[in-house]
């Protein structure tokens, strides 16, 4: 439950930044995406039902 709460806080912080910089890809945006992906990997390792879930993909 704690990891999901952490992810929720991360998204609350990330979304306004991402939306306000929708056409600008800078180092901060890349860092935020990397942090989000790391948190999603942590969630996936703890909750097997979410193994294929991801909010961001570069494919």
């Amino acid at each position: 439950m704690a990891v999901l709460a952490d992810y929720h806080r991360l998204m609350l912080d990330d979304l306004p930044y991402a939306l306000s910089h929708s056409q600008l890809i800078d180092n901060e945006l890349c860092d935020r995406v990397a942090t989000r992906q790391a948190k999603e990997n942590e969630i996936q390792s703890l909750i097997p039902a979410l193994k294929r879930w991801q909010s961001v993909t570069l494919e």
Side-chain angles (χ1 to χ4, degrees):
M1 199 63 147
V3 72
L4 292 175
D6 288 345
Y7 183 76
H8 181 257
R9 283 189 291 275
L10 179 72
M11 292 303 291
L12 287 177
D13 185 48
D14 274 1
L15 285 177
Y17 181 86
L19 292 175
S20 69
H21 292 75
S22 61
Q23 297 300 315
L24 176 65
I25 297 176
D26 59 6
N27 285 340
E28 184 173 352
L29 183 61
C30 291
D31 290 343
R32 288 173 180 262
V33 169
T35 300
R36 188 180 327 153
Q37 287 176 323
K39 184 58 73 176
E40 290 172 6
N41 287 338
E42 180 182 2
I43 291 169
Q44 289 169 333
S45 71
L46 295 171
I47 306 172
L50 297 176
K51 184 88 174 145
R52 295 180 172 258
W53 163 76
Q54 57 183 321
S55 67
V56 175
T57 182
L58 300 177
E59 297 173 2

